[in-house]
């Protein structure tokens, strides 16, 4: 790749991120379904045709929003680092930390995806695929505890998924006004009490 090509690629990515950030705010305020590409164009100050050239459609804009969110949350790195912890309770509290961070940085993205899934069968299938991938990663994570868990692997996964459901975070933090720290502490305590001796 030449210097010129590299510069173009960086410019194209910067444009995509500008569009994604504007779209995320509109999706949060107006809803995914009600927001048009024209509205995103106005908010991002990027021509409509440029948005169509860069993304093709609204679902692709949402995918870019999710990509930015996952990168900013940095939960993959945090999850990998937590695997190095030898104390099982510490490792579960570390999991509570990266799960909380994921919600703090992106509960709105999850809700936008859920709205999109209700309106578009393709987005519903995509969201189902995302949940399945998450479940697979958590299954592998819990398998790393080997004989430390009091629950069989399948039941341990069910408990972990129930405790870390986005709806629970929404209820406790956004509706019941728990602090982020209170939620994270509760989540860590609950995982430890439910999954360890």
């Amino acid at each position: 790749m030449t210097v010129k090509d590299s510069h173009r690629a960086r410019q194209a990515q910067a444009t995509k991120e500008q569009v994604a950030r504007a779209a995320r705010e509109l999706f949060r305020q107006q809803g995914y379904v009600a927001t048009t590409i024209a509205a995103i164009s106005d908010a991002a100050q990027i021509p409509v045709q440029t948005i169509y050239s860069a993304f093709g459609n609204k679902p692709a804009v949402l995918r870019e929003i999710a990509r930015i969110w996952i990168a900013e949350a940095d939960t993959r790195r945090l999850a990998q680092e937590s695997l190095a912890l030898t104390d099982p309770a510490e490792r579960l509290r570390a999991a509570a930390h990266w799960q909380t961070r994921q919600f703090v940085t992106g509960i709105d993205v999850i809700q936008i995806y859920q709205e999109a899934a209700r309106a578009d069968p393709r987005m519903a299938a995509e969201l189902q695929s995302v949940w399945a991938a998450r479940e697979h990663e958590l299954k592998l994570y819990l398998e790393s505890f080997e004989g430390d868990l009091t629950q069989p692997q399948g039941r341990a996964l069910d408990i972990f998924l129930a405790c870390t459901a986005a709806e629970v975070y929404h209820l406790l933090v956004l509706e019941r006004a728990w602090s982020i720290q209170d939620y994270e502490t509760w989540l860590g305590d609950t995982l430890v009490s439910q999954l360890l001796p």
Side-chain angles (χ1 to χ4, degrees):
M1 182 183 281
T2 67
V3 172
K4 195 172 181 181
D5 288 341
S6 177
H7 178 67
R8 278 198 191 122
R10 282 197 305 274
Q11 276 187 319
Q13 187 56 44
T15 298
K16 288 178 84 169
E17 290 181 10
Q18 185 176 335
V19 169
R21 290 185 197 284
R24 180 174 178 174
E25 189 57 34
L26 287 176
F27 292 159
R28 184 166 44 218
Q29 290 174 0
Q30 301 174 182
Y32 175 84
V33 174
T35 300
T36 62
I37 294 290
I40 296 169
S41 167
D42 287 343
Q45 298 185 320
I46 300 288
V48 168
Q49 195 49 52
T50 301
I51 295 175
Y52 277 115
S53 296
F55 292 101
N57 55 31
K58 201 160 61 169
V61 175
L62 181 49
R63 286 183 205 108
E64 178 65 9
I65 291 169
R67 186 198 67 75
I68 293 169
W69 161 46
I70 294 300
E72 288 175 349
D74 202 21
T75 50
R76 287 196 178 107
R77 180 186 61 80
L78 294 171
Q80 279 300 118
E81 286 180 359
S82 71
L83 287 171
L85 298 170
T86 54
D87 179 74
E90 263 188 73
R91 199 183 309 171
L92 284 176
R93 291 188 196 285
H97 173 68
W98 46 259
Q99 286 290 319
T100 302
R101 180 168 172 73
Q102 200 165 46
F103 290 138
V104 169
T105 57
I107 189 67
D108 61 316
V109 180
I110 295 169
Q111 292 167 331
I112 293 163
Y113 252 103
Q114 288 170 332
E115 183 199 345
R118 288 191 293 272
D120 184 340
R122 293 168 303 170
M123 295 306 288
E126 188 170 311
L127 184 58
Q128 194 59 44
S129 175
V130 168
W131 290 145
R134 176 178 183 263
E135 186 173 321
H136 177 71
E137 291 298 318
L138 290 177
K139 180 175 178 288
L140 295 177
Y141 187 79
L142 290 170
E143 284 173 358
S144 75
F145 285 81
E146 295 174 352
D148 293 322
L149 303 180
T150 55
Q151 302 285 352
Q153 283 291 330
R155 178 60 63 90
L157 178 61
D158 292 345
I159 291 168
F160 198 104
L161 289 170
C163 290
T164 59
E167 290 77 10
V168 174
Y169 176 88
H170 187 275
L171 171 68
L172 296 179
V173 177
L174 302 183
E175 291 183 32
R176 307 299 301 172
W178 283 29
S179 71
I180 302 302
Q181 188 55 57
D182 283 348
Y183 169 80
E184 184 177 321
T185 300
W186 167 82
L187 180 55
D189 289 347
T190 303
L191 291 174
V192 168
S193 67
Q194 289 292 311
L195 299 177
L196 297 179

